[in-house]
Amino acid sequence: MKRYFYLWHRWLGIGLCLLMALWFVSGLVMMYVGYPKLTPREHLAQLPALSAEDCCVPLAQVLAAADERQAPAAVRLTTVAGQPRYLLRYGQRVLAVDARSGQRLAGVDEQAARAAARQFAPGRGVSYQGLLDEDAWTHSRALDADRPLHRVELDDGTLLYVSSHSGEVVRDATASERSWNWLGAWLHWLYPLRGGTLDRWWGDIVIYLSLAATLMTLLGIVVGLLRWRFAKPYRSGARSPYRGLARWHHIGGLAFGALVLTWIFSGLMSMNPWRLFTTPTPLDMAAYQGAELRADAFPLPAQQAITRLREAGLNARELHWRLVGGRAYLQGVDASGATALLPADGDGTLLHGLTDAELLRAAQAIRPQERLQVERLNAYDFYYYARAEHSMLGHLERPLPVLRVRFDDPAQTWLHLDPRTGSVVGRLDAGQRTSRWLFALLHSWDWLPLLQNRPLWDGWMWLASLGGLLICLSGTLLGWRRLRRRPRPSPSRARPARSAGRRDTLYP
């Protein structure tokens, strides 16, 4: 049985060690440079303040122009290509309505894409590169509602991607980000397999490669322990029977093998294999709004809201129409992300947040007969915390304080509610909390004592990654030597005696 452990570890290692080494190198790059994305901070920074002059048509006219049977999930007023525009989201679709004329935009052409790029980067030269569905920097499913995308290049090499439906810049990718990403996220997530004939099998390929690498690492730990003399050393006096590169691989595997195993296994878990963390009955959030987003719920005109917000000291870059527990608000957001709420009934009261009681009434409507468990978070904890902006989910806002509301639904859902805006800033069900342990903790070491003391987190990640590289690169070289080895002599020939403690291969 032991021999099969050796053989499986050997041949899996020959096939996978180089790939694992690339995973470690690309992981180190991703610690500092993430996959390109447009963060909320970048989005707000390029917007001019909304003007109440010559703006805006009533919401009823906007919804009529959209000509949709159902109410939109979200409505906001922003500036696109220098013009005020309503953007309405219906599930995975985005519709745009001109805020001055009230006409629905049928599509976004090259000229509009150039104008959007000039608003994003005023004074810069732009070069239009065409319409595309997907490329190396736009694989994210978050962009599906905006496809196809116009690609525009700035004179400094930055690529901007403009939605063909809304006209907004929805992603930017600087030349520096793209250069590092060829060695970072693009390589780490095996994106060379995306966009071609293998695209439909990309997820399965990553899952089964990770599964094979997990098995290889586990077998390596078993083999390493079997070959280590804990009580009595070998005749050479060493605890390991190997020498040279094989000894480095053996000792490195014993020292860092458990960390490598957790990294590979947690990488597998990041793919949600076989939908292990998917909740079959997610919590129905429709009742939290308390009503559909209809025009009659918002009698306060947009231009009046803009004026009131400015008088109160908030120069709104965007307006959001929001319903919480059946009550309607217009939410203004300025360039820094600061917000304020105006009740849409037009009573003139400026709010800097909602009370806990208002939020709980809205949450209770989701499951009226249930007693909710509620706590107020004034500091981050294991399940609610912020990451660096460039990290995979670091662009998602994690404000404090928040209310955590726990439900007793089949999915055991937790909601995190932002008192400033009434929005749901986080939703965690039992599967997602399990993924928090098996992916985020084991893969990125999202542990507050480390995250809040970055030199410690960086040092730990570098040490562990270099240990993993030692194992993988030495395994790659040993595998290469094995493949170059001459065929063994015929079984009829006598095999030379082996001297204990003098072997330089990991396998019998």
Coordinates of all heavy atoms in Angstrom, one line a residue, residues 95-165:
L95 N -31.4 49.8 -17.9 CA -32.0 50.7 -18.9 C -31.6 52.1 -18.5 O -31.4 52.5 -17.3 CB -33.5 50.6 -18.9 CG -34.1 49.2 -19.2 CD1 -35.6 49.3 -19.2 CD2 -33.6 48.7 -20.5
A96 N -31.4 53.0 -19.5 CA -31.0 54.4 -19.3 C -32.0 55.3 -19.9 O -32.6 55.0 -21.0 CB -29.6 54.6 -20.0
V97 N -32.4 56.4 -19.2 CA -33.3 57.4 -19.6 C -32.7 58.7 -19.5 O -32.2 59.1 -18.4 CB -34.6 57.3 -18.8 CG1 -35.6 58.4 -19.2 CG2 -35.3 55.9 -19.0
D98 N -32.7 59.5 -20.5 CA -32.2 60.9 -20.5 C -33.0 61.7 -19.5 O -34.2 61.8 -19.5 CB -32.3 61.5 -21.9 CG -31.6 62.9 -21.9 OD1 -32.2 63.9 -21.5 OD2 -30.4 63.0 -22.2
A99 N -32.3 62.3 -18.5 CA -32.9 63.0 -17.4 C -33.5 64.4 -17.9 O -34.4 64.9 -17.1 CB -32.0 63.2 -16.3
R100 N -33.1 64.9 -19.0 CA -33.7 66.2 -19.5 C -34.9 66.0 -20.4 O -35.9 66.6 -20.3 CB -32.6 67.0 -20.2 CG -31.5 67.5 -19.2 CD -30.6 68.5 -19.9 NE -29.7 69.1 -18.9 CZ -28.4 69.1 -19.0 NH1 -27.8 68.4 -20.0 NH2 -27.6 69.7 -18.1
S101 N -34.7 65.0 -21.3 CA -35.8 64.8 -22.3 C -36.8 63.7 -21.9 O -37.9 63.7 -22.4 CB -35.2 64.4 -23.7 OG -34.6 63.1 -23.6
G102 N -36.4 62.9 -21.0 CA -37.2 61.8 -20.6 C -37.3 60.6 -21.6 O -38.2 59.7 -21.5
Q103 N -36.4 60.6 -22.6 CA -36.4 59.6 -23.6 C -35.5 58.4 -23.2 O -34.4 58.7 -22.7 CB -36.0 60.1 -25.0 CG -37.0 61.2 -25.5 CD -36.6 61.6 -26.9 OE1 -35.5 61.3 -27.4 NE2 -37.5 62.3 -27.6
R104 N -36.0 57.2 -23.5 CA -35.1 56.1 -23.2 C -34.0 55.9 -24.3 O -34.3 56.1 -25.5 CB -36.0 54.8 -23.2 CG -35.3 53.5 -23.1 CD -36.2 52.3 -23.0 NE -35.6 51.1 -23.1 CZ -36.2 49.9 -23.0 NH1 -37.5 49.8 -22.8 NH2 -35.5 48.8 -23.2
L105 N -32.8 55.6 -23.8 CA -31.7 55.5 -24.8 C -31.7 54.1 -25.4 O -31.7 53.1 -24.6 CB -30.4 55.7 -24.0 CG -29.9 57.2 -23.9 CD1 -30.8 57.9 -22.9 CD2 -28.4 57.2 -23.5
A106 N -31.7 54.0 -26.7 CA -31.8 52.7 -27.3 C -30.5 52.0 -27.3 O -30.4 50.8 -27.3 CB -32.2 52.9 -28.8
G107 N -29.4 52.7 -27.2 CA -28.1 52.1 -27.2 C -27.0 53.1 -27.1 O -27.3 54.3 -27.2
V108 N -25.8 52.7 -26.9 CA -24.6 53.6 -26.8 C -23.7 53.3 -27.9 O -23.2 52.2 -28.1 CB -23.9 53.3 -25.4 CG1 -22.7 54.2 -25.3 CG2 -24.9 53.6 -24.3
D109 N -23.4 54.4 -28.7 CA -22.5 54.2 -29.8 C -21.1 54.6 -29.5 O -20.8 55.0 -28.4 CB -23.0 55.0 -31.0 CG -23.2 56.5 -30.7 OD1 -22.6 57.0 -29.7 OD2 -23.9 57.2 -31.5
E110 N -20.2 54.6 -30.5 CA -18.8 55.0 -30.3 C -18.6 56.4 -29.8 O -17.8 56.6 -28.9 CB -18.1 54.8 -31.6 CG -16.6 55.2 -31.6 CD -15.9 55.2 -32.9 OE1 -16.4 54.4 -33.8 OE2 -14.8 55.8 -33.0
Q111 N -19.4 57.3 -30.3 CA -19.3 58.7 -29.9 C -19.6 58.9 -28.5 O -18.9 59.6 -27.7 CB -20.2 59.6 -30.8 CG -20.1 61.1 -30.5 CD -21.0 61.9 -31.4 OE1 -21.6 61.4 -32.3 NE2 -21.0 63.2 -31.1
A112 N -20.7 58.2 -28.0 CA -21.1 58.3 -26.6 C -20.0 57.6 -25.7 O -19.8 58.1 -24.6 CB -22.4 57.6 -26.4
A113 N -19.4 56.5 -26.2 CA -18.4 55.8 -25.4 C -17.2 56.8 -25.2 O -16.6 56.8 -24.2 CB -18.0 54.5 -26.1
R114 N -16.8 57.5 -26.3 CA -15.7 58.4 -26.2 C -16.0 59.5 -25.2 O -15.2 60.0 -24.4 CB -15.4 59.0 -27.6 CG -14.7 58.1 -28.6 CD -14.6 58.8 -29.9 NE -13.9 57.9 -30.9 CZ -12.6 57.9 -31.1 NH1 -11.8 58.6 -30.3 NH2 -12.1 57.1 -32.0
A115 N -17.3 60.0 -25.2 CA -17.7 61.1 -24.3 C -17.6 60.6 -22.9 O -17.2 61.4 -22.0 CB -19.1 61.6 -24.7
A116 N -18.0 59.4 -22.6 CA -17.9 58.8 -21.3 C -16.5 58.7 -20.8 O -16.2 59.0 -19.6 CB -18.6 57.4 -21.2
A117 N -15.6 58.3 -21.7 CA -14.2 58.3 -21.4 C -13.6 59.6 -21.1 O -12.8 59.8 -20.1 CB -13.4 57.6 -22.5
R118 N -14.0 60.7 -21.8 CA -13.6 62.0 -21.6 C -14.1 62.6 -20.2 O -13.3 63.3 -19.6 CB -14.0 62.9 -22.7 CG -13.1 62.8 -24.0 CD -13.4 63.9 -25.0 NE -14.7 63.7 -25.6 CZ -14.9 63.0 -26.7 NH1 -13.9 62.5 -27.4 NH2 -16.1 63.0 -27.3
Q119 N -15.3 62.2 -19.8 CA -15.7 62.6 -18.5 C -14.9 61.9 -17.4 O -14.6 62.5 -16.4 CB -17.2 62.2 -18.3 CG -17.7 62.5 -16.9 CD -19.1 62.0 -16.7 OE1 -20.1 62.4 -17.3 NE2 -19.3 61.1 -15.7
F120 N -14.6 60.6 -17.6 CA -13.8 59.9 -16.6 C -12.4 60.4 -16.5 O -11.9 60.5 -15.4 CB -13.8 58.4 -17.1 CG -13.2 57.5 -16.0 CD1 -14.0 56.9 -15.1 CD2 -11.8 57.2 -16.0 CE1 -13.5 56.0 -14.1 CE2 -11.3 56.4 -15.0 CZ -12.1 55.8 -14.1
A121 N -11.8 60.8 -17.6 CA -10.4 61.3 -17.6 C -10.3 62.6 -18.4 O -9.9 62.5 -19.6 CB -9.5 60.2 -18.1
P122 N -10.8 63.7 -17.9 CA -10.8 64.9 -18.7 C -9.4 65.4 -19.1 O -8.5 65.2 -18.3 CB -11.5 66.0 -17.7 CG -11.3 65.4 -16.4 CD -11.3 63.9 -16.5
G123 N -9.3 65.9 -20.3 CA -8.0 66.4 -20.8 C -7.1 65.3 -21.3 O -6.0 65.6 -21.7
R124 N -7.5 64.0 -21.3 CA -6.7 62.9 -21.8 C -7.1 62.5 -23.2 O -8.2 62.6 -23.6 CB -6.8 61.7 -20.9 CG -6.7 62.1 -19.4 CD -5.2 62.4 -19.1 NE -4.4 61.2 -19.2 CZ -4.2 60.3 -18.3 NH1 -4.9 60.4 -17.1 NH2 -3.5 59.3 -18.5
G125 N -6.1 62.1 -23.9 CA -6.4 61.5 -25.3 C -7.1 60.2 -25.2 O -6.7 59.4 -24.3
V126 N -8.0 59.9 -26.0 CA -8.8 58.7 -26.0 C -8.7 58.0 -27.4 O -8.6 58.7 -28.4 CB -10.2 58.9 -25.6 CG1 -10.3 59.5 -24.2 CG2 -11.0 59.7 -26.6
S127 N -8.6 56.7 -27.4 CA -8.6 55.9 -28.6 C -9.6 54.8 -28.5 O -9.5 54.0 -27.6 CB -7.2 55.3 -28.8 OG -7.1 54.4 -29.9
Y128 N -10.6 54.8 -29.4 CA -11.6 53.8 -29.4 C -11.1 52.5 -30.0 O -10.5 52.5 -31.0 CB -12.8 54.3 -30.2 CG -14.0 53.4 -30.2 CD1 -14.8 53.3 -29.0 CD2 -14.3 52.6 -31.3 CE1 -15.9 52.4 -29.0 CE2 -15.4 51.8 -31.3 CZ -16.2 51.6 -30.1 OH -17.3 50.8 -30.1
Q129 N -11.4 51.4 -29.3 CA -10.9 50.1 -29.7 C -11.9 49.1 -30.0 O -11.7 47.9 -30.3 CB -10.0 49.5 -28.6 CG -8.7 50.3 -28.3 CD -7.7 49.6 -27.5 OE1 -8.0 48.6 -26.8 NE2 -6.5 50.0 -27.6
G130 N -13.2 49.5 -30.1 CA -14.3 48.7 -30.6 C -15.2 48.1 -29.5 O -15.0 48.4 -28.3
L131 N -16.1 47.3 -29.9 CA -17.1 46.7 -29.1 C -16.8 45.2 -28.9 O -16.5 44.5 -29.8 CB -18.5 46.9 -29.7 CG -19.7 46.5 -28.9 CD1 -19.9 47.5 -27.8 CD2 -21.0 46.5 -29.8
L132 N -16.8 44.8 -27.7 CA -16.5 43.4 -27.4 C -17.4 42.9 -26.3 O -18.0 43.6 -25.5 CB -15.0 43.3 -26.9 CG -14.5 44.1 -25.8 CD1 -14.8 43.4 -24.4 CD2 -13.0 44.4 -25.9
D133 N -17.5 41.6 -26.3 CA -18.4 40.9 -25.2 C -17.5 40.7 -24.0 O -18.0 40.9 -22.8 CB -19.0 39.6 -25.7 CG -20.0 39.1 -24.8 OD1 -21.0 39.8 -24.6 OD2 -19.8 38.0 -24.2
E134 N -16.3 40.2 -24.2 CA -15.4 39.9 -23.0 C -14.0 39.8 -23.5 O -13.7 39.4 -24.6 CB -15.9 38.5 -22.5 CG -15.4 38.1 -21.1 CD -16.1 36.9 -20.6 OE1 -17.2 36.6 -21.1 OE2 -15.5 36.2 -19.7
D135 N -13.1 40.2 -22.6 CA -11.7 40.1 -22.8 C -11.0 39.7 -21.5 O -11.6 39.3 -20.5 CB -11.1 41.3 -23.5 CG -11.0 42.5 -22.6 OD1 -11.4 42.4 -21.4 OD2 -10.6 43.6 -23.0
A136 N -9.7 39.7 -21.5 CA -8.9 39.3 -20.4 C -9.2 40.0 -19.1 O -9.0 39.5 -18.0 CB -7.4 39.3 -20.6
W137 N -9.7 41.2 -19.2 CA -9.9 42.1 -18.0 C -11.4 42.2 -17.6 O -11.8 43.0 -16.8 CB -9.3 43.4 -18.2 CG -7.9 43.3 -18.7 CD1 -7.5 43.7 -19.9 CD2 -6.8 42.5 -18.2 NE1 -6.2 43.4 -20.2 CE2 -5.7 42.6 -19.1 CE3 -6.6 41.8 -17.0 CZ2 -4.5 42.0 -18.9 CZ3 -5.4 41.2 -16.8 CH2 -4.3 41.3 -17.7
T138 N -12.3 41.5 -18.3 CA -13.7 41.7 -18.1 C -14.4 40.4 -17.9 O -15.6 40.2 -18.3 CB -14.4 42.5 -19.3 OG1 -14.1 41.8 -20.5 CG2 -13.8 43.9 -19.3
H139 N -13.8 39.4 -17.3 CA -14.4 38.1 -17.1 C -15.4 38.1 -16.0 O -16.2 37.2 -15.9 CB -13.4 37.0 -16.8 CG -12.5 36.7 -18.0 ND1 -13.0 36.4 -19.2 CD2 -11.1 36.6 -18.1 CE1 -12.0 36.1 -20.1 NE2 -10.9 36.2 -19.4
S140 N -15.4 39.1 -15.2 CA -16.3 39.2 -14.0 C -17.8 39.1 -14.4 O -18.2 39.8 -15.3 CB -16.1 40.5 -13.2 OG -17.0 40.6 -12.2
R141 N -18.5 38.3 -13.7 CA -20.0 38.2 -14.0 C -20.7 39.4 -13.6 O -21.9 39.6 -14.0 CB -20.6 37.0 -13.2 CG -20.0 35.6 -13.7 CD -20.6 35.1 -15.0 NE -20.3 35.9 -16.2 CZ -19.2 35.7 -16.9 NH1 -18.3 34.8 -16.6 NH2 -19.0 36.4 -18.0
A142 N -20.1 40.3 -12.8 CA -20.8 41.5 -12.3 C -21.0 42.5 -13.5 O -21.8 43.4 -13.5 CB -19.9 42.2 -11.3
L143 N -20.3 42.2 -14.7 CA -20.4 43.1 -15.8 C -21.5 42.5 -16.8 O -21.7 43.1 -17.9 CB -19.1 43.2 -16.5 CG -18.0 43.9 -15.7 CD1 -16.7 43.8 -16.5 CD2 -18.3 45.3 -15.4
D144 N -22.1 41.4 -16.5 CA -23.0 40.8 -17.5 C -24.1 41.7 -17.9 O -24.6 41.7 -19.1 CB -23.6 39.5 -16.9 CG -22.6 38.4 -16.9 OD1 -21.5 38.5 -17.4 OD2 -22.9 37.3 -16.3
A145 N -24.6 42.5 -17.0 CA -25.8 43.4 -17.4 C -25.3 44.5 -18.3 O -26.2 45.2 -18.9 CB -26.3 44.1 -16.1
D146 N -24.0 44.8 -18.5 CA -23.5 45.9 -19.3 C -23.0 45.4 -20.6 O -22.6 46.2 -21.5 CB -22.4 46.6 -18.5 CG -22.9 47.2 -17.2 OD1 -23.8 48.1 -17.3 OD2 -22.5 46.8 -16.2
R147 N -22.9 44.1 -20.9 CA -22.3 43.6 -22.1 C -23.3 43.8 -23.3 O -24.5 43.8 -23.1 CB -22.0 42.1 -22.0 CG -21.0 41.8 -20.8 CD -20.7 40.3 -20.8 NE -20.1 40.0 -19.5 CZ -18.8 40.1 -19.2 NH1 -18.0 40.7 -20.0 NH2 -18.4 39.8 -18.0
P148 N -22.8 44.0 -24.5 CA -21.3 44.1 -24.8 C -20.8 45.4 -24.3 O -21.5 46.4 -24.0 CB -21.3 44.0 -26.4 CG -22.7 44.5 -26.8 CD -23.6 44.1 -25.7
L149 N -19.4 45.5 -24.3 CA -18.7 46.6 -23.7 C -17.9 47.4 -24.8 O -17.3 46.7 -25.7 CB -17.8 46.2 -22.6 CG -18.4 45.4 -21.5 CD1 -17.3 44.7 -20.7 CD2 -19.2 46.3 -20.6
H150 N -17.9 48.7 -24.8 CA -17.0 49.5 -25.6 C -15.7 49.6 -24.9 O -15.7 49.9 -23.7 CB -17.6 50.9 -25.8 CG -18.9 50.9 -26.6 ND1 -18.9 50.9 -28.0 CD2 -20.2 51.0 -26.2 CE1 -20.2 51.0 -28.4 NE2 -21.0 51.0 -27.3
R151 N -14.6 49.4 -25.6 CA -13.3 49.5 -25.0 C -12.6 50.8 -25.6 O -12.5 50.9 -26.8 CB -12.4 48.3 -25.3 CG -11.1 48.3 -24.5 CD -10.4 47.0 -24.5 NE -10.0 46.6 -25.9 CZ -9.4 45.5 -26.2 NH1 -9.2 44.5 -25.2 NH2 -9.0 45.2 -27.4
V152 N -12.2 51.6 -24.6 CA -11.5 52.9 -25.0 C -10.2 52.9 -24.3 O -10.1 52.6 -23.1 CB -12.4 54.1 -24.6 CG1 -11.7 55.4 -25.0 CG2 -13.7 54.0 -25.3
E153 N -9.1 53.3 -25.0 CA -7.8 53.4 -24.3 C -7.4 54.9 -24.2 O -7.6 55.7 -25.1 CB -6.7 52.7 -25.2 CG -5.4 52.7 -24.5 CD -4.3 51.9 -25.3 OE1 -4.6 51.6 -26.5 OE2 -3.2 51.7 -24.8
L154 N -6.9 55.2 -23.0 CA -6.4 56.5 -22.7 C -5.0 56.6 -23.1 O -4.3 55.6 -23.3 CB -6.6 56.9 -21.2 CG -8.0 56.8 -20.6 CD1 -7.9 57.2 -19.1 CD2 -8.9 57.7 -21.4
D155 N -4.5 57.9 -23.2 CA -3.1 58.0 -23.7 C -2.0 57.5 -22.7 O -0.9 57.4 -23.1 CB -2.8 59.5 -24.0 CG -3.2 60.5 -22.9 OD1 -3.3 60.0 -21.7 OD2 -3.3 61.7 -23.1
D156 N -2.4 57.2 -21.5 CA -1.4 56.6 -20.6 C -1.5 55.1 -20.5 O -0.8 54.4 -19.7 CB -1.6 57.1 -19.1 CG -2.9 56.7 -18.5 OD1 -3.8 56.2 -19.3 OD2 -3.1 56.9 -17.3
G157 N -2.3 54.5 -21.4 CA -2.4 53.0 -21.5 C -3.5 52.4 -20.8 O -3.8 51.2 -20.9
T158 N -4.2 53.3 -20.0 CA -5.4 52.8 -19.2 C -6.5 52.4 -20.2 O -6.8 53.1 -21.1 CB -5.9 53.8 -18.2 OG1 -4.9 54.1 -17.3 CG2 -7.1 53.3 -17.5
L159 N -7.1 51.2 -19.9 CA -8.3 50.8 -20.7 C -9.5 51.1 -19.9 O -9.6 50.7 -18.7 CB -8.2 49.3 -21.0 CG -7.1 48.8 -21.9 CD1 -7.2 47.3 -22.1 CD2 -7.2 49.5 -23.3
L160 N -10.5 51.7 -20.6 CA -11.8 51.9 -20.0 C -12.9 51.1 -20.7 O -12.8 51.0 -21.9 CB -12.2 53.4 -20.0 CG -11.3 54.4 -19.4 CD1 -11.8 55.8 -19.6 CD2 -11.1 54.1 -17.9
Y161 N -13.8 50.5 -19.9 CA -14.8 49.7 -20.5 C -16.2 50.4 -20.2 O -16.5 50.7 -19.1 CB -14.8 48.3 -19.9 CG -13.6 47.5 -20.3 CD1 -12.4 47.6 -19.5 CD2 -13.5 46.7 -21.4 CE1 -11.3 47.0 -19.8 CE2 -12.3 46.1 -21.8 CZ -11.2 46.2 -21.0 OH -10.1 45.5 -21.3
V162 N -16.9 50.7 -21.3 CA -18.1 51.4 -21.2 C -19.3 50.5 -21.5 O -19.3 49.8 -22.5 CB -18.1 52.6 -22.2 CG1 -19.4 53.4 -22.2 CG2 -16.9 53.5 -21.9
S163 N -20.4 50.6 -20.7 CA -21.6 49.8 -20.9 C -22.3 50.2 -22.1 O -22.5 51.4 -22.4 CB -22.5 50.0 -19.7 OG -23.8 49.4 -19.9
S164 N -22.7 49.3 -22.9 CA -23.4 49.6 -24.2 C -24.9 49.9 -23.9 O -25.6 50.2 -24.8 CB -23.3 48.4 -25.1 OG -23.9 47.2 -24.6
H165 N -25.3 49.7 -22.6 CA -26.7 50.0 -22.2 C -26.9 51.3 -21.5 O -27.8 52.0 -21.7 CB -27.3 48.8 -21.4 CG -27.1 47.5 -22.1 ND1 -27.9 47.1 -23.1 CD2 -26.3 46.4 -21.8 CE1 -27.6 45.9 -23.5 NE2 -26.7 45.5 -22.8

